[in-house]
Amino acid sequence: MTKKIPDTFILGAASSAWQTEGWSGKKEQQDSYLDKWFKEEQFVWHDSQGPDVATNFMQQYQEDIDLMKEINLTHYRTSINWARFFTDYEQLVVDEAYATHMDHVIDGLIAAGVEPILCLEHYELPAYYIEQYDGWSSKKVVDWYADYAKIVFERYGDRVHQWFTFNEPIVIQTRCYLDAIRWPHEQDTKKWMLWNFHKTLASAKAIAVFKEGKFEGRIGCVLNPEMVYPRSQSKADVHAAKMYDLFFNQVFFHPMVLGEYPEELITLCQKHDIYFDPTDEELEIIKQHTCDFLGINQYYPKRVKAPRFAWNEATPFHPEMYYEPFELPGRRMNRSRGWEIYPTIMYDLAMYLQENYGNIPWFISENGMGQENEEQYLNEAGIVQDDYRIEFIREHLAELLRAVEAGANCEGYMLWAFTDCVSPMNAFKNRYGLVRIEVDETRARSLKKSAYWYRNLIETRQLE
């Protein structure tokens, strides 16, 4: 069976600044949250590898761009490293060396026929704001972010026409303050919800700056909803799935797309004393400045069931009061990553957006297959035979195209990632790229089998 890929359908790839750049040229005070975490807890990162070297993109970016051109990549999503963009985070003094580097990357991509799509924050919150203002707890940080956005739009807006305000805005505070599994390991559910709100507000303010400046193009946000499935169709299980969707998906979808929060979420936040107390003016800013489009990161399904036990009132509130994770027996797994493989999430996600959010324009901004010990798949020519990645992409893309045929407003697919890159804690343990990175002093690049397959997909627009 062959599926025709529409001519306008994006076939791109993605990465981020902190996961590729390395620290070459970085000044001591320019730590991001991820840099600070790596310095504080290097022992939790696989083989103690992290953002300090990453893929050395700062120095080897042209090699990657040349490889993008070789496989005819059409779009590349990455981020600007907010922490490196300034030398003073209150006076907003631009680091001209870093800003010029971004000029070179953008110009290089365009010269290679690759459209750059830039994200303003992909976990690169300056550590200075955390140390001095408790990060996104402060409205000052929200305003500085909006000012940062204006500077960036003015500098690069003549060449970059697709922007994202955040990548996965829910993740950092969920890992650090809701679940407390990442540095600084501070369990504070109210701070979790406050950071959720302030990032939504910051996104709206950046969108306002973009619209007021009449910059060419469009602006949105990259969200990472988990398609949530109840264990059964019992009322209790269905309610558990509904609650998960409310706390982890609708908390950003509703205000960013519809301009307002779900009433049920507000009621629950007030009930559990985690409400963020917005002003009428802030709610109006959010209402008036919704996203033009969305990037959606999607990897695996979330399955839940009704909780079996009463909540321990001695512990801080957590949304798990309303649900319990469920593991489907016999599920297909990526055992390297510990994630279920379920391509149907692509179709179901598309229908979810179509039914609940006005069929807003969107594309898959991340989806991919991480594999541990990929060296075992090297052939005699030194090319990784990653047929598992090809099959993963094929199956997920087929479901995405099925959704397009059903009327979904999905504009494309961007693979995570173009090259192998560093992930939080996992570092290079799981490889995701079309391009292999040698983890030695050379950081040499080489195309995998999947890169040649992806090139053929781009050229023929036919999915077998």
Side-chain angles (χ1 to χ4, degrees), residues 398-409:
E399 286 294 312
L400 206 56
L401 293 172
R402 181 165 74 94
V404 170
E405 292 167 358
N409 202 1

Side-chain angles (χ1 to χ4, degrees), residues 194-210:
L194 181 64
W195 279 40
N196 288 339
F197 168 65
H198 278 166
K199 287 186 179 181
T200 299
L201 178 61
S203 181
K205 287 193 171 189
I207 292 172
V209 168
F210 187 82

Side-chain angles (χ1 to χ4, degrees), residues 10 25 48 62 86 88 118 168 170 211 240 250 277 301 305 321 323 399 401 414 418 420-421:
I10 293 169
S48 294
Q62 190 59 51
F86 297 112
D88 186 308
L118 290 187
E168 302 182 348
I170 198 171
K211 301 297 185 181
Q250 294 182 37
D277 298 315
K305 61 184 178 182
M321 171 184 285
Y323 68 88
E399 286 294 312
L401 293 172
M414 303 193 83
F418 181 67
D420 294 337
C421 58

